[in-house]
Amino acid sequence: MIRPRTILACAAAGLTVAGLAAQPAAARPAPTAAVRLLALNDFHGNLETPTGSSGTAIDENGNAVPAGGAVYVATHLKRLADRHTLTVAQGDLIGATPLISAAYHDEPSVQFLGDVGVTASAVGNHEFDEGYRELQRIQDGGCHPVDGCSPAGKWKGAKYDYLAANVILEKKNRPVLKPWTIRRINGVKVGIIGVVTKTTPGIVTADGIKGLRFDDEVASANRSAQELRKRGVHAMVLLVHEGDQVKAGSRPDDCGVVPGAGTRIAQEADPDIDVVLSGHTHQQYVCSVKDPEGQPRLYSSGSSFGRVITQVDFQVNTRTGDIVRSSLKGDNHVVTRDVPPDPATQTFVQTWKQRVSAIADKPIGKITADLTRVPSPAGETALGDVIADAQLAGMKDKGAQVAVMNPGGVRTDLTFKASGSEGDGVVTYGEAFAVQPFSNVMGVTSLTGAQVDALLEQQWTAAGEKILQPSANLRFTIDRSRPVGDRVSEITIDGKPVDPSATYKVAANNFLLGGGDGFSTFTQGKDQVLGPIDLDGFVAYMGAQGTIAPPALNRISVK
């Protein structure tokens, strides 16, 4: 790695011999090779152009502009690429995806990303939504073990490498996928390492990652850097599915990050790592941080849903094989829709849209007005309440007395205005799927009244607030002025105060039942039984109700 002190020493040596003889070879500028990186993160299967706030981005002028969609991602990638380009990604490319991709276990999205040149990607937490064995199938190929082959035929596997340096198979004590890969470009070698946030076990379904260990991101990246050095690789890029938040309204190349988990990784990772590309938080930023030796290192992220492409240009010293840090330049490009859509991608997307349309366009019920995720002062939402009611109804035959829903599992609103030809107020299967895309399984567990209280107290942690959405027969009061652990009171079920020593059957999805989002009290439950997939329960509830009006947001009171 060319350090500033080395450059200064060479310059000084050149001055001492000026006019006496030609400069020695050591003092001449080292030959370099140009490399360009193009990066995407948190694509989440958005083959079609995303809508609403998910379909806009803040551009270089501070304006919100329409952005995203596979046909425009492909066009922009082609325009930005040169013959010395590597395209990479930072995870959550699949999982929590629209029906066009999810109906076929995200094979369409992985195919698209490979076709546009992605060569390596970190795994994200959502890559584990269907379990790590399904992720291995996506990587290696083969038809789905339950649903079989898609209309495209036998799945051939991803064209790019998923990298998971810190995801360890505990029995074998080795990464579940490749930890790193090496790419040769413009005559030089570039090592690419991938890690995912170590908080993954708390934000995915426990059954899907059983037998896996998620190690510290920095320690794992450093092990991979050491392995790359042994192979003579010194130009290194870290793809990390973790990041930071930014100030509202930040422009693509601003560095208004609030330092957090992403910054820690970017600052503490091995000094031989020259570039840290991040994701997970769906933010856009381009920053420079100091590595452990005090040298500048590029640290960036490119929003989500295919709305931003990150471009990183640098020179590699062909003598040392290292990146010249002073040559690093990052630039986030908004994927605007003012360019011609890529014809091949347009055909590809339309083909999959037609394949899934019979499922997506089927009406399942009606609403009288928007069902949104807009929270009341207590954190209660109309759509969250309706989903909780649906889960209670769907698990009544398993003995459920109440139900709760995690707010993060409600992914979008249900709007009264028609999105297609179905008519105002009509909810289609595709719209319902967009609300609950995870295919979580509903279940019931037995908790004492004291455990119900403890569960509701876990709505507040050091990381912030996550208010559980309650079914209509569960009421409680919160007081945010009180200490964490003592904020909930007046808990009632069916109008009766909860008895701390009595047992209650609580319905929730298997993400929560496994202790997801920090609700570890669920893991203390007994006599757990599982039921149908949450989406199936929601569809059945919509059909049984016929027409649903937004419920009053009065299940949670605030002192």
Side-chain angles (χ1 to χ4, degrees), residues 22-23 93 99 145 155 157 163 195 308 326 337 348 372 382 408 446 472 475 477 503 507 518 528 536:
Q23 292 186 23
L93 303 181
L99 189 61
W155 174 241
L163 306 177
V195 296
V308 170
S326 61
R337 300 179 194 165
F348 177 84
T372 75
S446 295
R475 304 292 175 103
T477 298
T503 298
Q528 178 177 303
D536 292 344

Side-chain angles (χ1 to χ4, degrees), residues 125 127-136 167 169-170 176 200-214 438-444 508-517 522-523 528-532:
N125 54 285
E127 262 81 15
F128 294 96
D129 280 352
E130 293 192 52
Y132 79 88
R133 295 190 185 279
E134 169 64 5
L135 175 57
Q136 289 174 322
V167 186
L169 281 166
E170 289 194 291
V176 67
T200 296
I203 53 177
V204 301
T205 302
D207 286 346
I209 57 170
K210 189 176 294 182
L212 298 184
R213 184 180 79 240
F214 289 78
F438 298 114
S439 296
N440 284 327
V441 174
M442 296 188 296
V444 174
N509 58 50
N510 60 332
F511 168 70
L512 280 176
L513 293 175
D517 273 346
F522 265 123
T523 64
Q528 178 177 303
V529 292
L530 297 177

Side-chain angles (χ1 to χ4, degrees), residues 469-481:
Q469 307 298 293
S471 56
N473 62 337
L474 173 61
R475 304 292 175 103
F476 56 92
T477 298
I478 64 175
D479 185 349
R480 294 184 179 95
S481 69

Side-chain angles (χ1 to χ4, degrees), residues 367 369-372 383 412-416 427 431-432 435 538 542:
I367 55 177
D370 293 349
L371 293 179
T372 75
L383 187 50
T412 191
D413 300 336
L414 285 178
T415 56
F416 179 80
V427 178
E431 291 168 337
V435 172
F538 187 62
M542 291 288 295

Side-chain angles (χ1 to χ4, degrees), residues 32-35 83-85 184-189 315-316 318:
T32 60
V35 176
R83 58 196 180 96
H84 307 312
T85 296
R184 184 175 288 275
I185 187 80
N186 197 16
V188 297
K189 293 185 290 186
Q315 299 288 324
V316 177
T318 57

